[in-house]
Amino acid sequence: MGKSRRGVRFQHRPANIDAKNSSSESSDASEPPSPTKAAKSDTVAGAKANAAEYKKKKETFITRTIWTFVMIAGFFVAIFSGHLYIIAIVTAIQIVSFKEVIAIANVPSRAKNLRFTKSLNWYFLATTMYFLYGESVIYYFKHILLVDRVLLPFATHHRFICFMLYMMGFVFFVGSLQKGHYKFQFTQFAWTHMALYLIVVQAHFIMNNIFEGLIWFFLPVALVITNDIFAYVCGITFGRTQLIKLSPKKTVEGFVGAWVCTIVLGYGIGNILMQYKYFTCPVNDLGSNIITGLECTPNPAFSPEAYQLPSWTHIDRTFNIAPMQFHILILATFASLIAPFGGFFASGLKRTFKVKDFGESIPGHGGITDRMDCQFLMGLFAYMYYHSFIAVQKSSVGDVMEMAITGLTVVEQIEVIKGLGKYLYNQGELSERVLNILNAELLARR
Amino acid sequence: MGKSRRGVRFQHRPANIDAKNSSSESSDASEPPSPTKAAKSDTVAGAKANAAEYKKKKETFITRTIWTFVMIAGFFVAIFSGHLYIIAIVTAIQIVSFKEVIAIANVPSRAKNLRFTKSLNWYFLATTMYFLYGESVIYYFKHILLVDRVLLPFATHHRFICFMLYMMGFVFFVGSLQKGHYKFQFTQFAWTHMALYLIVVQAHFIMNNIFEGLIWFFLPVALVITNDIFAYVCGITFGRTQLIKLSPKKTVEGFVGAWVCTIVLGYGIGNILMQYKYFTCPVNDLGSNIITGLECTPNPAFSPEAYQLPSWTHIDRTFNIAPMQFHILILATFASLIAPFGGFFASGLKRTFKVKDFGESIPGHGGITDRMDCQFLMGLFAYMYYHSFIAVQKSSVGDVMEMAITGLTVVEQIEVIKGLGKYLYNQGELSERVLNILNAELLARR
C-alpha cells in the first residue's frame, strides 16, 4: 500500500541517464540529443538547470515521502478501526482505479463526445459491484438474509437480477451505436469490461479475504510492499543484469534479493499476526475493532504441529511448526516472483497509451492504479490459495439440517439418520446396541 | 441452428438498392454512383450483368438452403443420439467460433508476425475450457469424482490449478511483450479475453443447460431459430418502419410480428417437448439416447396445477396449467425482444472490422459465429432463468452425509441425528417412543 518507487526502482543511475532512458522507452522515435552532451557545451546554463532539476526532484521526493507516510498511517488506522473501514477503503480504491483505467483509454478519442458512453461505463461498474458485493453478503450473511422477508427475494434471485441489469446496459449499448463511431464505442465497451475484470473482480476477492480473517488481507498487502522496497534496495546495491526488456531498470539481482528478503521479513510479519485472533478469526461481527477483538476457534493452520527431520539426518529433534509457517513461504514467493508481473503488465499498458502514470490521485505517486497493480494479483492469489489449501469446510448443524429438511423427502431424512448412525458406529462413537435400536425403530416407524 | 438469413432479413428490396445500402453502411466514405443509374445508361450490359448477378444469387440461395437442411438434420441426429453428441457439437461450435472471432481482430496487424501470439490465444482457450468443463463435471458428477483417489485432488483443487495455469499464460504474455508491438499485443490480449467471455463462457452455460435436461437446450435454440425465420417472413410481409440505425433492413413490424409468432410456435414446441422424459429429465446417465430414454421424478414445473380466473370475470372454470407453460412465454419473449441484440452487437462488430461475415465455415451462410450470435445470449438467459425460477434445490442423501461427515464434529453429528429426529416427530413421522429412545441412547453414548 503505497511504498513502491516505480520511477526509480531496482537500480540507481544518475538523473540524466535516467531521463534519456525513459524518453527512449516511452516512444519508438529516434533518440533525442543526450542531455549529458548539452550540459558539457554550456557549463553555466547546465549548472543552473541541474540546480533547478535537483530542487524539483527534492520537492517531489519530499511530497512522495510525506504521502507515503500518510497512506501507511491511514492504512493502519483502518486496520485497527475494524473491517467496515477497510472495506470502505478498498471500495474507494477500486472506484478511483476503475476511473483511472477507463480514462487512459479515453484519451485518443476524447474529441468524440458521445453522450452516453461515460454514463454507461459507470452503469456497468455499478452493476458489477452490486453483483459482487451481493455475492459476498449472501455468502457470509446468509443466516440474516434468509430470514428477512424483504431481502429474501433479492438473495434468492440475486444472479438473475444482476443478469437482467447487465442485459439492460447491453441492449442500451447496442441501441446507442452510432454510424462512424463504431470503433470508438466498441473499444470503450471492450475496455470497460477489461477494467471491470482486472480491477473490480480482483478487488472482490480481496474483500472476501477480509471476511475470512484480516491476516488474509494484511499479509499479502505487506508482502507486496516489502518486496517492492527490497527490490529497490537490492537493485541499488547489487543490480547489474537486466531482467525484462519492458522495464530496463529492473535487474535480476534486485528480483532475487527481494525474494529472499520478502521471505525473511514476511515470515516475521506472519508470525506476529498469527498471535492475534483479531487477525486470524473470520469476521462474524462487523462491529468489531482492535479493542473489542474477535473470538473463534482458530483455523488448524495456525496451530503448531510436531514435525521431525527425516531419519538420515540423525538429528532426533521434534519441531513445533504451524502449517501457516509453510504457507507464508509460498505467499512470499508468489509476491516476489509472480505478482511483479502485474506491475510489468501495467507498465506495458502505460507505454501503449503513452502515459507516465495512470492518474494524479496521490501527490508524488501518480495514480492509485500505479500503486495497486501488484496488489490486485496478489489478493486474487491469496484468495485462491486460501480456499484451496487452508480453508476448512465450514458447516454448522444448522446448514446440515437446512439441507436435509428443505432438500430431502421424509424417507431420505430417515436414511440420513440411519447412515450417520452407521458412520458413527464404524468410527467407534456409537455402540452396536444403539445402532440396532435406531434401525429397528426407524424401520417400524409409526 | 442455422436458419436465419442475416443477409436479406426482415425486408425485401430490389437487389441494386440493397447493394447501394450496404456499401454506404460498411464505410463512411461518400456514396458511389448509384448502380441503378449505371444500368439505365447501358441497357445491354446492364441486362447481362443482371442475369449474371441473378445466377450467382440463385446459386448462393441453393447452397444456403442445402446447408440449412444439412445442419438441421445433423442437429436432430445429435439430439436423438444422446447428450455426449450434443456436447461434442457445442464444443466444436465454440472452438470454431472462437477461432473466427480471434481472426477478425487479427486482420489489421496480420503483417506483424509475433511468434507466440497465436499459441497464447489457444493456450488461454484451453485453460478456460479446462476450467469450465471441470466446473461442470465436478458439479454434476461429484459422487464419482470424490470417490476416485486419482481424480480427487484435481476436483478439490480445481480452481487453484486453473488459476495457476492462467497465471503461467499471463506471465508468459508479459515476458513476451516486445517494444514497438505493445499496442498490437495488448489488443490481442484484450480481444482474446473478450472472445473467451463472449463465446466460451456463454457456451459453458449452454452445456449446463444440456445437463439439466435437453428441453433447456432444445427449447431456447428452437425459439431463436423460430424468431429468426418469422422476423424475416413478417419483415417481408408488413415491414415498413426502421427499427435500429445499425441494421437498416430490420423493421419494427418484423420485430413485433416475430414476437407474436415465436410465442405461438414456441408454446406448441414447448408443450410437445414437455411430454417426453428424455427432454425434461436431467442427465443422470451420459449413455442415454432417444431409445434408452431417461427416468426421473419430473420437475414440478412440468406438472399441471389448477388455476382459476379472478372472481370478477364471473367465469367459474378451473384451468389445468403447468407452470412451464408460463415460463415458455417468458423464454419466447426474451428470444424475440432481447436475444436479437446479440445479433445486432455482432453486426456492429463486423462493421467495425469491415468484414461481411465472421468466416466461411458454413457454405452459403458465412461463419459459424454469424449463425450463433443470438444463441449464446439466449443460452445464458435460459440458464439464469432456469436456476432462478425453475430449478428445485437438489440434494441427495449423499450430499447431506458428505456435509455432515466432512464438516461436523462427532458431537455435532449426534446433534444432527437428534435434530432430524425431533423434526420428524414434529411432522408426525416418528412416534414419541422412538424420539425418547433416540435422545436417551445418544445422551448416554458409550
Side-chain angles (χ1 to χ4, degrees):
Chain A
M1 208 121 178
K3 255 197 169 177
S4 88
R5 294 162 178 84
R6 184 98 46 236
V8 286
R9 199 154 66 149
F10 281 104
Q11 203 176 319
H12 190 71
R13 299 174 184 211
N16 44 9
I17 296 188
D18 251 338
K20 179 188 143 193
N21 228 323
S22 62
S23 74
S24 72
E25 279 160 55
S26 60
S27 76
D28 297 339
S30 61
E31 280 186 26
S34 161
T36 321
K37 277 185 204 165
K40 271 184 196 160
S41 67
D42 188 351
T43 337
V44 184
K48 261 192 187 167
N50 275 348
E53 200 181 296
Y54 175 76
K55 205 184 156 195
K56 207 188 148 202
K57 279 225 156 198
K58 200 178 148 190
E59 271 171 18
T60 311
F61 180 77
I62 293 173
T63 318
R64 196 183 174 112
T65 310
I66 292 174
W67 276 91
T68 302
F69 283 106
V70 167
M71 283 191 291
I72 292 178
F75 176 63
F76 275 97
V77 168
I79 283 280
F80 295 142
S81 307
H83 305 77
L84 277 183
Y85 294 86
I86 308 167
I87 289 171
I89 285 184
V90 176
T91 304
I93 287 175
Q94 84 173 336
I95 293 175
V96 176
S97 210
F98 179 79
K99 194 180 142 108
E100 287 175 357
V101 171
I102 287 297
I104 70 160
N106 215 352
V107 175
S109 310
R110 203 179 288 249
K112 290 178 187 168
N113 202 359
L114 286 166
R115 273 169 67 202
F116 301 114
T117 308
K118 234 176 184 167
S119 323
L120 207 58
N121 287 340
W122 290 106
Y123 177 79
F124 281 124
L125 174 67
T127 307
T128 311
M129 283 177 66
Y130 175 71
F131 168 63
L132 294 172
Y133 280 74
E135 288 283 309
S136 294
V137 169
I138 290 168
Y139 185 81
Y140 292 102
F141 302 97
K142 202 177 192 172
H143 51 289
I144 299 170
L145 286 178
L146 292 184
V147 177
D148 193 298
R149 193 174 279 276
V150 179
L151 294 177
L152 181 65
F154 286 96
T156 49
H157 300 308
H158 182 64
R159 288 180 189 179
F160 186 77
I161 294 169
C162 293
F163 173 70
M164 291 316 287
L165 286 174
Y166 179 83
M167 283 316 300
M168 279 166 56
F170 179 80
V171 167
F172 188 84
F173 166 74
V174 175
S176 73
L177 282 171
Q178 276 177 36
K179 216 191 229 174
H181 297 286
Y182 292 154
K183 189 132 204 175
F184 171 71
Q185 288 183 297
F186 274 102
T187 308
Q188 280 285 318
F189 186 78
W191 190 245
T192 305
H193 281 76
M194 201 73 189
L196 288 174
Y197 161 78
L198 288 175
I199 296 165
V200 185
V201 173
Q202 297 202 60
H204 164 68
F205 292 109
I206 295 179
M207 302 282 183
N208 284 0
N209 290 343
I210 296 172
F211 283 116
E212 294 294 344
L214 272 185
I215 192 172
W216 306 113
F217 168 71
F218 190 99
L219 188 62
V221 168
L223 288 173
V224 169
I225 295 176
T226 309
N227 187 62
D228 251 16
I229 294 172
F230 282 94
Y232 174 66
V233 172
C234 296
I236 285 181
T237 322
F238 319 107
R240 225 153 245 113
T241 332
Q242 189 183 311
L243 174 70
I244 187 172
K245 282 180 199 158
L246 193 72
S247 303
K249 273 176 275 172
K250 272 140 204 157
T251 62
V252 174
E253 291 80 4
F255 198 67
V256 174
W259 180 24
V260 176
C261 298
T262 306
I263 284 185
V264 174
L265 243 102
Y267 190 78
I269 298 172
N271 274 296
I272 296 170
L273 294 179
M274 271 170 64
Q275 312 301 320
Y276 300 98
K277 284 198 168 176
Y278 183 61
F279 284 98
T280 57
C281 281
V283 183
N284 38 38
D285 174 12
L286 274 179
S288 57
N289 56 43
I290 191 81
I291 297 164
T292 65
L294 275 173
E295 270 309 317
C296 68
T297 318
N299 188 304
F302 299 117
S303 313
E305 291 169 17
Y307 287 91
Q308 280 189 313
L309 290 177
S311 57
W312 53 262
T313 57
H314 294 296
I315 304 172
D316 189 24
R317 229 187 104 185
T318 306
F319 295 89
N320 282 317
I321 308 173
M324 184 62 194
Q325 290 170 313
F326 293 120
H327 296 317
I328 293 171
L329 305 185
I330 302 205
L331 289 169
T333 300
F334 189 91
S336 308
L337 304 188
I338 315 283
F341 282 84
F344 302 157
F345 183 85
S347 302
L349 269 188
K350 285 187 272 190
R351 302 261 158 88
T352 308
F353 288 106
K354 309 227 157 85
V355 292
K356 202 181 146 284
D357 289 315
F358 278 106
E360 294 158 350
S361 316
I362 320 171
H365 282 258
I368 275 198
T369 315
D370 297 280
R371 286 292 77 79
M372 291 303 138
D373 40 19
C374 308
Q375 294 290 2
F376 288 128
L377 208 56
M378 185 66 205
L380 178 55
F381 175 77
Y383 174 87
M384 290 291 174
Y385 188 80
Y386 171 80
H387 280 275
S388 201
F389 299 108
I390 304 174
V392 284
Q393 206 165 355
K394 285 184 307 185
S395 46
S396 65
V397 174
D399 290 338
V400 176
M401 296 272 295
E402 186 200 355
M403 198 173 176
I405 290 171
T406 58
L408 298 182
T409 63
V410 169
V411 176
E412 286 173 327
Q413 287 161 0
I414 289 171
E415 284 288 320
V416 169
I417 296 182
K418 280 192 204 170
L420 270 184
K422 178 92 182 166
Y423 168 82
L424 287 170
Y425 165 72
N426 286 340
Q427 299 285 312
E429 298 286 349
L430 273 192
S431 67
E432 201 178 345
R433 194 181 138 249
V434 177
L435 186 69
N436 288 338
I437 293 174
L438 266 181
N439 285 339
E441 294 293 337
L442 290 173
L443 211 66
R445 68 185 175 97
R446 283 249 276 192
Chain B
M1 212 122 180
K3 254 195 166 176
S4 89
R5 294 160 178 85
R6 184 96 49 238
V8 286
R9 197 154 69 150
F10 281 106
Q11 204 174 317
H12 191 70
R13 298 174 183 214
N16 44 8
I17 296 189
D18 251 340
K20 179 187 143 192
N21 230 322
S22 62
S23 74
S24 72
E25 278 159 56
S26 60
S27 76
D28 297 337
S30 61
E31 280 185 26
S34 161
T36 320
K37 275 183 202 165
K40 271 182 194 161
S41 66
D42 189 351
T43 336
V44 183
K48 260 192 188 169
N50 275 347
E53 198 182 297
Y54 174 76
K55 204 185 159 198
K56 207 187 149 205
K57 279 224 155 196
K58 199 178 151 191
E59 272 170 18
T60 312
F61 180 77
I62 292 171
T63 319
R64 195 183 175 113
T65 310
I66 292 173
W67 276 91
T68 301
F69 282 107
V70 168
M71 284 191 293
I72 292 177
F75 177 64
F76 274 97
V77 168
I79 283 280
F80 295 142
S81 307
H83 304 77
L84 277 182
Y85 294 85
I86 308 167
I87 289 171
I89 285 185
V90 176
T91 304
I93 287 176
Q94 84 175 333
I95 292 175
V96 176
S97 209
F98 179 78
K99 195 180 142 112
E100 287 175 356
V101 171
I102 287 296
I104 70 160
N106 216 353
V107 175
S109 310
R110 205 179 284 247
K112 291 177 187 171
N113 201 359
L114 287 166
R115 273 168 66 202
F116 302 114
T117 308
K118 233 174 185 169
S119 323
L120 207 59
N121 287 340
W122 290 105
Y123 178 80
F124 281 124
L125 174 67
T127 307
T128 310
M129 282 176 67
Y130 175 70
F131 168 64
L132 293 172
Y133 279 74
E135 289 283 309
S136 294
V137 169
I138 289 169
Y139 186 81
Y140 292 102
F141 301 97
K142 202 176 191 175
H143 52 288
I144 298 169
L145 286 177
L146 291 183
V147 178
D148 193 296
R149 196 175 278 274
V150 179
L151 293 177
L152 182 66
F154 286 95
T156 49
H157 299 308
H158 181 65
R159 289 181 188 177
F160 186 77
I161 294 169
C162 293
F163 173 69
M164 291 316 286
L165 286 174
Y166 179 82
M167 282 315 300
M168 279 166 56
F170 179 79
V171 166
F172 188 84
F173 165 74
V174 175
S176 73
L177 281 171
Q178 277 177 36
K179 217 189 223 173
H181 297 287
Y182 292 155
K183 188 132 204 174
F184 171 71
Q185 290 183 297
F186 274 103
T187 308
Q188 280 284 319
F189 186 78
W191 190 245
T192 305
H193 281 76
M194 201 72 189
L196 288 174
Y197 160 78
L198 287 175
I199 296 165
V200 185
V201 173
Q202 297 201 60
H204 163 69
F205 292 110
I206 295 178
M207 302 282 183
N208 283 359
N209 290 344
I210 296 171
F211 283 116
E212 294 294 345
L214 272 185
I215 192 171
W216 307 114
F217 167 71
F218 190 99
L219 188 62
V221 168
L223 288 173
V224 169
I225 296 175
T226 309
N227 188 63
D228 251 15
I229 295 171
F230 283 95
Y232 174 66
V233 173
C234 297
I236 285 181
T237 322
F238 318 108
R240 228 152 242 111
T241 332
Q242 190 183 312
L243 175 70
I244 188 172
K245 281 179 200 160
L246 193 71
S247 304
K249 273 176 273 171
K250 272 140 204 158
T251 61
V252 175
E253 291 79 4
F255 199 67
V256 174
W259 180 25
V260 176
C261 298
T262 307
I263 285 186
V264 173
L265 243 102
Y267 189 79
I269 297 172
N271 274 298
I272 296 170
L273 294 179
M274 272 170 64
Q275 312 301 321
Y276 300 97
K277 283 197 170 178
Y278 183 62
F279 284 97
T280 57
C281 282
V283 183
N284 38 37
D285 174 12
L286 275 178
S288 56
N289 55 42
I290 191 82
I291 297 164
T292 65
L294 274 172
E295 269 310 316
C296 68
T297 317
N299 188 305
F302 299 116
S303 312
E305 291 169 17
Y307 287 90
Q308 279 189 313
L309 290 177
S311 57
W312 54 260
T313 56
H314 295 295
I315 304 173
D316 189 23
R317 228 188 105 184
T318 308
F319 296 89
N320 282 319
I321 309 174
M324 184 63 194
Q325 290 169 313
F326 293 120
H327 297 317
I328 293 171
L329 306 186
I330 302 206
L331 289 169
T333 301
F334 188 91
S336 309
L337 304 187
I338 315 283
F341 281 84
F344 303 157
F345 183 85
S347 302
L349 268 188
K350 285 187 271 189
R351 302 260 158 91
T352 307
F353 288 104
K354 309 229 156 82
V355 292
K356 203 182 147 283
D357 289 316
F358 278 105
E360 294 157 351
S361 315
I362 319 171
H365 282 259
I368 275 199
T369 316
D370 297 280
R371 287 290 79 79
M372 290 303 139
D373 40 19
C374 308
Q375 295 289 4
F376 288 128
L377 206 58
M378 185 68 206
L380 178 55
F381 175 77
Y383 174 88
M384 289 291 174
Y385 188 80
Y386 171 79
H387 280 275
S388 200
F389 299 108
I390 304 174
V392 284
Q393 203 165 357
K394 284 187 308 186
S395 45
S396 65
V397 174
D399 290 337
V400 176
M401 297 272 295
E402 185 201 357
M403 197 173 179
I405 290 171
T406 58
L408 298 182
T409 63
V410 170
V411 176
E412 287 173 326
Q413 286 161 359
I414 290 171
E415 285 288 320
V416 170
I417 297 182
K418 280 193 206 171
L420 271 184
K422 177 93 182 165
Y423 167 81
L424 288 170
Y425 166 72
N426 287 340
Q427 299 285 312
E429 299 286 350
L430 274 191
S431 66
E432 200 177 348
R433 192 179 140 251
V434 177
L435 187 71
N436 287 338
I437 293 173
L438 266 180
N439 285 338
E441 293 294 337
L442 290 173
L443 211 67
R445 67 182 175 102
R446 284 249 275 188

